[in-house]
Amino acid sequence: MRYGQRAGWGVIAAVVAVVAGLLGGGGAASAAGATAYPAHLSLEASYGAGTVTNGWEKVERFRDTTAGFAAGAAEGYPPDGRGDQDGVRVTYFGKVARPASDRFLLYSAPGWNTGAQSVPVLLVHGANDTADRAWANPGESGGYGCGAVSCPSTGLMQYLSSRGRRVFAIGFAHKQGDNLMQAQAVGDAVAAIKAKLGVAKVDLVGWSKGEMSTRAYVSSVKPSWGRAYAGDVRKLITLGGPNGGYDYPYAHGWAHDFSIWPECGGKINAPSPHSRMTCYGTYTAHPEYSMTPSGGYDDYPGQRQMLARWDSVYGVDQSAQDWYTTYYGGQGFYTAGDGIQKALDSGSLVAPLRRAGVPASVTTYLLAGATPNVIGIVNENRGPSDGVVFISSALDTTGIATVGGTATVTDANHLELGWNSTSAAQVAAWLALP
């Protein structure tokens, strides 16, 4: 659920903001016990030594050829390029900066086929992020990109891999994409890992927005054409996930918009709660940044799917300019918008996920951060939070049949949860449980 930040990174609501060839075209892998990939899954390319960076062993690009998937895979991108793939990810996606969502990347860590631990783990990153920055090199974007002034060059991938875990990560085509399609990609990645290793189950770790796609997969919350959960997940671990939803963009919309609206100098790949805003005396419209479909644009479906109202619990930040019309809709002094309820009615997934429930066979663990000090943003200050997501949302167990444990990392903000040493140790401990 990462957004972007002025200093050059990504988080849920404000942070500015990746294969050695193994197979050819969907055949069987060489690992012991491996099987063929599912018929709907096509291996398009593999990248290894000389191309792969940040400590990964290889990266593969897959395509889900399901007809229904392909029909809806051309998700919208902001026309100014802020949502495009960047860095080595462009290479991985076949030099396509705006890939369709029927494609995804599968990263393999060193020891993916030799690690001593039998159940592999798939890491699922959040919004406006990549598997590289999230899990392997938190400092890839430079200082502040990890939620701290100084960022480490290794992450949870190396931490788990060095402890015998067989680690994989998914890379999504669309950084702010539809969580239902991303959930299908998560299922595809799990199927690919099972085929490679000949295993029956995989553990999932979903950070921030990644909680939505992992939970949607195991709960069979899917598009009409989608495949249901295949019963192949042992454990689900969420890090700062909006299990109870979040309303940060609407509660702190005025300050948030300055990082988005180009006329105000904004460049962040994140949606706005407003349809119009005044910057330096000019009143402008930007439907391409809207949280809800507007003017033919719908570039941020994954963000509105995480929304839930928290005004009845923690109120609204009344110190913010145009606070009332931002949250509830209408014309303010500098801004205009439809309000959070219109966005919820346009497709929040929080309630559907709760109703569907996580199967009892999937033991679920929830981790929250407790330090609201994300540098460069207005931190969530209406109640205890990690700077973006309320602790009570991250630890909300509604609809989860088997809760294996919950924990709060007191010294981690939202962007530090994926690499903080206490957080990493807790994830490793949960994975080690029978």
Side-chain angles (χ1 to χ4, degrees), residues 70-230:
E75 294 194 78
Y77 285 82
D80 62 2
R82 64 178 66 193
D84 292 6
Q85 292 292 335
D86 58 2
V88 71
R89 274 74 59 180
V90 178
T91 298
Y92 297 158
F93 277 112
K95 299 183 179 180
V96 177
R98 300 179 181 180
S101 294
D102 55 354
R103 288 172 170 83
F104 68 92
L105 305 177
L106 183 64
Y107 292 69
S108 300
W112 66 269
N113 59 347
T114 60
Q117 305 299 327
S118 59
V119 181
V121 57
L122 175 67
L123 307 176
V124 184
H125 66 77
N128 198 33
D129 209 354
T130 69
D132 285 297
R133 198 228 57 83
W135 307 117
N137 183 5
E140 188 188 57
S141 299
Y144 301 95
C146 66
V149 174
S150 179
C151 302
S153 59
T154 60
L156 187 61
M157 178 270 279
Q158 290 91 342
Y159 187 94
L160 296 177
S161 179
S162 67
R163 287 159 175 77
R165 290 287 163 193
R166 296 188 281 182
V167 182
F168 299 82
I170 191 170
F172 295 118
H174 195 296
K175 296 180 181 180
Q176 297 278 16
D178 186 322
N179 290 298
L180 297 182
M181 285 198 285
Q182 292 189 348
Q184 292 292 295
V186 168
D188 286 340
V190 170
I193 294 169
K194 289 162 51 184
K196 289 175 180 293
L197 299 178
V199 296
K201 294 198 173 186
V202 173
D203 291 334
L204 296 178
V205 177
W207 184 8
S208 195
K209 181 176 179 291
E211 172 266 326
M212 297 293 286
S213 56
T214 54
R215 183 165 174 173
Y217 171 60
V218 300
S219 300
S220 290
V221 177
K222 59 185 180 63
S224 59
W225 47 262
R227 290 174 299 279
Y229 172 52

Side-chain angles (χ1 to χ4, degrees), residues 21-388:
L22 180 65
L23 300 175
S30 59
T35 60
Y37 295 136
H40 69 270
L41 204 54
S42 172
L43 175 60
E44 292 190 326
S46 293
Y47 303 88
T51 302
V52 174
T53 61
N54 296 317
W56 297 101
E57 181 172 313
K58 65 176 179 175
V59 179
E60 298 162 302
R61 184 177 75 249
F62 286 88
R63 181 188 179 202
D64 186 325
T65 60
T66 305
F69 205 136
E75 294 194 78
Y77 285 82
D80 62 2
R82 64 178 66 193
D84 292 6
Q85 292 292 335
D86 58 2
V88 71
R89 274 74 59 180
V90 178
T91 298
Y92 297 158
F93 277 112
K95 299 183 179 180
V96 177
R98 300 179 181 180
S101 294
D102 55 354
R103 288 172 170 83
F104 68 92
L105 305 177
L106 183 64
Y107 292 69
S108 300
W112 66 269
N113 59 347
T114 60
Q117 305 299 327
S118 59
V119 181
V121 57
L122 175 67
L123 307 176
V124 184
H125 66 77
N128 198 33
D129 209 354
T130 69
D132 285 297
R133 198 228 57 83
W135 307 117
N137 183 5
E140 188 188 57
S141 299
Y144 301 95
C146 66
V149 174
S150 179
C151 302
S153 59
T154 60
L156 187 61
M157 178 270 279
Q158 290 91 342
Y159 187 94
L160 296 177
S161 179
S162 67
R163 287 159 175 77
R165 290 287 163 193
R166 296 188 281 182
V167 182
F168 299 82
I170 191 170
F172 295 118
H174 195 296
K175 296 180 181 180
Q176 297 278 16
D178 186 322
N179 290 298
L180 297 182
M181 285 198 285
Q182 292 189 348
Q184 292 292 295
V186 168
D188 286 340
V190 170
I193 294 169
K194 289 162 51 184
K196 289 175 180 293
L197 299 178
V199 296
K201 294 198 173 186
V202 173
D203 291 334
L204 296 178
V205 177
W207 184 8
S208 195
K209 181 176 179 291
E211 172 266 326
M212 297 293 286
S213 56
T214 54
R215 183 165 174 173
Y217 171 60
V218 300
S219 300
S220 290
V221 177
K222 59 185 180 63
S224 59
W225 47 262
R227 290 174 299 279
Y229 172 52
D232 48 13
V233 173
R234 183 185 69 144
K235 296 180 178 182
L236 169 61
I237 299 175
T238 70
L239 313 180
N243 288 284
Y246 85 117
D247 60 358
Y248 178 99
Y250 288 87
H252 306 283
W254 171 252
H256 179 53
D257 268 7
F258 275 96
S259 66
I260 299 171
W261 229 256
E263 287 80 5
C264 293
K267 299 180 180 179
I268 305 307
N269 179 35
S272 168
H274 298 120
S275 56
R276 292 180 177 272
M277 180 175 181
T278 299
C279 292
Y280 299 105
T282 303
Y283 193 51
T284 57
H286 279 293
E288 67 271 32
Y289 308 135
S290 176
M291 182 75 78
T292 56
S294 179
Y297 293 98
D298 187 13
D299 300 333
Y300 298 95
Q303 287 295 333
R304 67 172 173 273
Q305 291 170 334
M306 295 185 288
L307 293 173
R309 292 181 61 161
W310 284 84
D311 53 322
S312 64
V313 181
Y314 294 123
V316 180
D317 181 8
Q318 297 187 23
S319 67
Q321 179 70 46
D322 293 353
W323 67 270
Y324 188 91
T325 53
T326 297
Y327 203 96
Y328 299 107
Q331 176 68 59
F333 191 75
Y334 289 104
T335 60
D338 293 326
I340 190 171
Q341 191 60 49
K342 174 67 176 296
L344 287 168
D345 294 342
S346 297
S348 172
L349 289 179
V350 176
L353 285 171
R354 285 170 152 181
R355 287 195 300 267
V358 176
S361 60
V362 180
T363 305
T364 304
Y365 304 82
L366 303 91
L367 189 70
T371 300
N373 67 347
V374 182
I375 302 170
I377 72 170
V378 175
N379 282 273
E380 181 53 82
N381 55 13
R382 295 172 293 154
S385 80
D386 61 10
V388 177

